[in-house]
Amino acid sequence: MTRELTEDPALVRLVEAMLFASAEPLAERDLADRLPPGADIPALLTRLEREYAPRGVQLMRAGSGWSFVTAADLAPMLGRERRIEKKLSRAAIETLAVIAYHQPVTRGEIEEIRGVQLSKGTLDALFEYGWIEPRGRRETPGRPATWMTTDAFLRHFGLATTRELPNLDELRAAGLLDARPAIRVLQPDGGGAEEIPPAAEPLDPDGA
Amino acid sequence: MTRELTEDPALVRLVEAMLFASAEPLAERDLADRLPPGADIPALLTRLEREYAPRGVQLMRAGSGWSFVTAADLAPMLGRERRIEKKLSRAAIETLAVIAYHQPVTRGEIEEIRGVQLSKGTLDALFEYGWIEPRGRRETPGRPATWMTTDAFLRHFGLATTRELPNLDELRAAGLLDARPAIRVLQPDGGGAEEIPPAAEPLDPDGA
Amino acid sequence: MSAVPLRAVAEDDGVADDLAADSLRSDAFVVDVDGWEGPLDLLLTLARAQKVDLRRISIVALADQYLAYVAAARRASLELAAEYLVMAAWLAELKSRLLLPEPPAPDEPSSDAMAAALAFQLRRMDAMREAGKGLMVRPQFGRDFWARGRPEAIPERISVVVKADLGSLLQAYGRHLRRRRGEAPLALSEPVKLDSIEAALSRILQSLGQAPGWESLARYLPEGTLAGVREGSLAACSSLAATFGAVLELARQGIIVLRQNQPFGPIYLKPVSGEGERP
């Protein structure tokens, strides 16, 4: 008796539609509720499973429930690639520039040079883009890692080597170093910013 | 070249999986995004449609969208909860029919065909269902908007295109879809029903 | 426009009797409790009651039925929507023309053309009514067929493309270097004694009011301050700034008033209690 019920194409269609439309995987007893008594549910499921095996959709069993899922091997093709263009943050590109000009350079040195602390993600982001990498360590207490730019960095910025980066004079010639009006009197030596000791206590013009 | 691409079982599987993964209809251009260039998408869809025709799940076209749905004949056996929609008023059903069979059609033309002004909410209700939308304007005085049915309308009623509307050819052959002007009485000034004069006047045109 | 008044007619016993007397009573009147969607809808319902092909409908009989219906409604003092009355007038005219054929005026349509137009409109209306029914008996989405119940999220591979070019890199470095120069911490190569506002305040208060009237601010600067500022002496600059700050503070406290006749001009001050000429 199960023989002809199993072969009944109407029942196969019904099971197929039920599994398709259901929001949840269906257990065999869920199917039994809506099939004529005596329907050989395991046989119907096996048949469907076999019919769908070569297709882009498969009948899959997860625990006690059955559901259709897209074939796993298609996942890479199904995935839509979405390109998001992102601009580097000001801090990131400046840090990248400092690394490019001062490499190899430690995190602490970058902070010293830039005069501000590096925020958490800045180096991580540059590393993730493949533009910098840690290479070697500074032989100072704590042996901090030193950072350098990568070949990917050179490719991205169209440089053959980091020596192609314009030097200070060239930057100045390009107008990239035009000094803003600065209060000269406060910087009597005019240079060696790196060696500047910690900032003095600011003046207290408001007084007590 | 399209031949072998069409026959490529991998592409059929991919299209099948894409359509299966989505509950919403996909347009051919959505599919094209993830298929190799040159894939004959209409041929792939036709093949899938044919393969699924006898099954409990069918590939359905509604306007520009394609989607898998359960076979309509299984509805009674599926025992699914039917979405209870607010029952459409007779005015709304007739208005929907007028738009479907006469599109594109202006509000004034709908009123002319039905011989009555559209009550406030009728178009709104159909618009809210997503079944109609204003598309273009009639180049007549006042440039009234013209209404058309949507792909969602086609999908709801299981139509591939508006050419599949029931009895469309018979109605057209009988001249019943002609945009013949209404009898004069319904548009006394040659305009819309809005200009109907006060009741008393036309009843006794000979009176004092 | 609503046909509610007509529904009232159909439901009112007295009027219903009238309707029966006018041999208007048909299933449609009783069954259709929704009312009519305008005069055409009512006409169509009446025409259908004739149970003949709409193409062979008797327009005269139809006009009679409609007019009787409207008359009944009026007898019952029910307010009919304007369009029903317009239609009644039109049908009355059509009927009289059909019954008493006479050549129409040149600018008027013939009675046959009028009847044909009405018949066409009824048939078209009927076709749309049926088309609407035809749509509604079709299998409907969400009622008779369903979409996939477990849609799968299509994975999206998001690849971030970072935009940066050599120009922006160099600009960033230039920006960095400029800032190093401009905003470098104050560097003092040797200890400098700086003036303070407190010192300037006591200095001013000590000698304030020794001379009556307006006095130049410069009088309150330590000796050699202006020359020192010109030479870039930090101490002199601090004296100038401290004195100016102190003077503003005294003005704020209402101890002195300040005056400057033009931008960058000399600043004058005098005690509030003091008298004197304007400088």
Side-chain angles (χ1 to χ4, degrees):
Chain A
M1 140 190 160
T2 53
R3 177 100 278 232
E4 68 251 34
L5 271 176
T6 300
E7 295 303 317
D8 186 346
L11 290 189
V12 178
R13 291 179 77 231
L14 191 52
V15 171
E16 185 181 24
M18 278 162 60
L19 289 167
F20 171 83
S22 172
E24 297 300 327
L26 293 179
E28 295 183 17
R29 65 171 177 284
D30 300 329
L31 297 168
D33 286 348
R34 280 174 245 161
L35 291 175
D40 186 348
I41 295 170
L44 289 167
L45 288 168
T46 306
R47 176 165 159 184
L48 267 182
E49 197 177 14
R50 206 176 47 234
E51 284 174 1
Y52 273 92
R55 305 207 66 98
V57 175
Q58 324 253 278
L59 184 56
M60 214 180 70
R61 177 181 184 168
S64 60
W66 292 80
S67 64
F68 281 115
V69 291
T70 54
D73 65 298
L74 295 175
M77 270 97 80
L78 272 180
R80 182 173 18 210
E81 191 159 326
R82 205 152 55 106
R83 290 163 70 92
I84 298 178
E85 281 204 343
K86 221 171 89 177
K87 264 180 86 170
L88 268 191
S89 73
R90 225 179 133 107
I93 195 160
E94 204 175 295
T95 301
L96 182 62
V98 167
I99 295 173
Y101 274 93
H102 297 261
Q103 60 190 316
V105 63
T106 68
R107 180 192 186 94
E109 288 159 354
I110 297 168
E111 291 179 333
E112 207 175 290
I113 292 168
R114 292 192 60 231
V116 289
Q117 282 203 0
L118 271 175
S119 66
K120 207 105 199 98
T122 307
L123 283 184
D124 286 353
L126 294 172
F127 179 62
E128 209 168 285
Y129 303 146
W131 289 345
I132 61 169
E133 60 188 8
R135 199 118 54 88
R137 295 185 172 278
R138 180 78 75 237
E139 288 306 332
T140 55
R143 301 189 66 246
T146 58
W147 292 87
M148 297 186 76
T149 56
T150 62
D151 287 352
F153 163 84
L154 294 176
R155 272 196 306 279
H156 186 97
F157 290 93
L159 298 164
T161 74
T162 50
R163 283 189 300 278
E164 278 190 9
L165 283 170
N167 62 30
L168 292 187
D169 287 337
E170 288 162 336
L171 286 176
R172 188 173 290 115
L176 290 167
L177 291 184
D178 285 347
R180 281 182 304 196
I183 312 171
R184 263 292 139 85
V185 67
L186 295 181
Q187 249 191 328
D189 319 353
E194 278 76 0
E195 287 85 38
I196 286 170
E201 280 300 304
L203 293 179
D204 185 5
D206 296 324
Chain B
M1 145 196 174
T2 53
R3 178 98 278 230
E4 69 251 31
L5 273 177
T6 299
E7 295 304 317
D8 187 347
L11 290 188
V12 178
R13 291 180 76 229
L14 191 52
V15 171
E16 183 181 27
M18 281 192 262
L19 290 166
F20 237 85
S22 169
E24 295 301 314
L26 295 180
E28 292 184 18
R29 65 173 176 282
D30 297 330
L31 299 169
D33 281 350
R34 275 171 262 160
L35 290 175
D40 186 348
I41 295 172
L44 291 166
L45 289 167
T46 306
R47 175 166 161 184
L48 269 180
E49 194 178 19
R50 206 174 51 233
E51 286 175 359
Y52 272 90
R55 305 206 67 99
V57 173
Q58 323 246 280
L59 183 58
M60 188 180 84
R61 173 187 168 198
S64 60
W66 293 79
S67 59
F68 278 113
V69 292
T70 59
D73 65 294
L74 295 174
M77 275 94 74
L78 274 178
R80 284 181 61 89
E81 218 171 289
R82 288 162 177 233
R83 190 164 50 198
I84 295 167
E85 271 172 10
K86 232 180 1 185
K87 210 172 162 256
L88 275 186
S89 70
R90 197 154 65 82
I93 294 170
E94 281 178 23
T95 301
L96 181 61
V98 169
I99 295 172
Y101 283 81
H102 288 81
Q103 58 188 316
V105 65
T106 68
R107 183 193 183 97
E109 289 159 356
I110 297 167
E111 293 177 333
E112 206 175 284
I113 291 168
R114 299 189 59 238
V116 68
Q117 283 191 37
L118 273 174
S119 65
K120 263 273 169 287
T122 307
L123 283 184
D124 283 356
L126 296 173
F127 184 61
E128 218 163 277
Y129 279 123
W131 291 347
I132 63 168
E133 62 187 9
R135 200 118 54 89
R137 295 183 172 278
R138 182 81 73 235
E139 287 306 331
T140 55
R143 303 188 68 245
T146 58
W147 292 84
M148 298 185 75
T149 55
T150 61
D151 284 356
F153 161 83
L154 294 174
R155 184 182 199 218
H156 186 92
F157 292 100
L159 299 162
T161 76
T162 50
R163 284 189 298 280
E164 284 191 1
L165 283 166
N167 296 324
L168 183 68
D169 294 338
E170 293 90 319
L171 291 174
R172 185 171 288 139
L176 290 174
L177 302 184
D178 292 355
R180 210 184 293 182
I183 56 176
R184 186 68 38 88
V185 64
L186 294 175
Q187 32 164 202
D189 302 322
E194 281 85 351
E195 286 90 36
I196 286 177
E201 284 177 6
L203 250 197
D204 41 18
D206 305 320
Chain C
M1 211 147 286
S2 127
V4 168
L6 286 169
R7 181 173 60 214
V9 169
E11 285 167 355
D12 181 272
D13 280 346
V15 178
D17 288 345
D18 280 351
L19 296 175
D22 288 336
S23 73
L24 277 175
R25 181 148 199 156
S26 72
D27 285 350
F29 286 102
V30 183
V31 170
D32 193 356
V33 291
D34 275 345
W36 283 271
E37 287 285 332
L40 213 54
D41 192 39
L42 169 57
L43 266 176
L44 188 54
T45 305
L46 293 169
R48 285 250 158 177
Q50 287 191 14
K51 297 210 188 332
V52 293
D53 189 319
L54 280 182
R55 275 169 294 199
R56 298 220 290 274
I57 197 85
S58 161
I59 295 289
V60 173
L62 188 60
D64 277 340
Q65 287 176 315
Y66 186 94
L67 292 170
Y69 192 86
V70 169
R74 287 171 71 82
R75 269 202 302 285
S77 304
L78 293 169
E79 204 179 316
L80 281 179
E83 33 206 12
Y84 289 90
L85 304 179
V86 176
M87 177 63 90
W90 191 86
L91 283 172
E93 191 190 341
L94 173 59
K95 183 189 157 189
S96 68
R97 287 225 228 147
L98 284 169
L99 294 178
L100 306 166
E102 60 185 50
D107 58 339
E108 281 182 8
S110 71
S111 56
D112 283 347
M114 287 170 74
L118 178 61
F120 170 76
Q121 198 136 1
L122 284 174
R123 285 178 57 223
R124 185 168 64 179
M125 178 68 192
D126 187 51
M128 287 303 106
R129 220 194 234 185
E130 294 304 313
K133 286 182 196 160
L135 277 179
M136 289 302 144
V137 300
R138 287 185 68 82
Q140 288 179 46
F141 184 77
R143 194 190 75 180
D144 304 299
F145 59 93
W146 292 271
R148 173 105 188 259
R150 277 166 74 81
E152 294 171 39
I154 294 182
E156 261 191 355
R157 284 190 311 251
I158 297 179
S159 56
V160 179
V161 183
V162 184
K163 261 180 82 175
D165 53 29
L166 192 57
S168 57
L169 184 77
L170 298 180
Q171 271 163 11
Y173 196 61
R175 211 159 50 226
H176 155 72
L177 291 176
R178 279 203 305 265
R179 205 176 49 242
R180 293 299 302 168
R181 288 156 190 237
E183 296 172 7
L186 181 60
L188 305 175
S189 42
E190 57 194 55
V192 175
K193 186 175 180 318
L194 296 180
D195 204 356
S196 72
I197 290 189
E198 290 85 350
L201 271 176
S202 60
R203 194 165 62 236
I204 295 167
L205 286 172
Q206 269 176 20
S207 52
L208 190 65
Q210 287 180 354
W214 295 96
E215 282 184 288
S216 169
L217 175 68
R219 209 184 80 78
Y220 293 92
L221 290 172
E223 205 164 325
T225 297
L226 291 176
V229 168
R230 274 192 291 275
E231 288 161 14
S233 151
L234 207 51
C237 286
S238 75
S239 283
L240 183 61
T243 305
F244 183 64
V247 157
L248 289 180
E249 173 62 19
L250 289 172
R252 191 179 69 80
Q253 290 177 16
I255 296 172
I256 61 169
V257 287
L258 291 174
R259 229 192 139 73
Q260 185 180 31
N261 287 339
Q262 64 192 65
F264 305 110
I267 296 169
Y268 299 91
L269 60 94
K270 75 174 168 112
V272 164
S273 51
E275 300 291 322
E277 306 293 310
R278 284 176 132 217

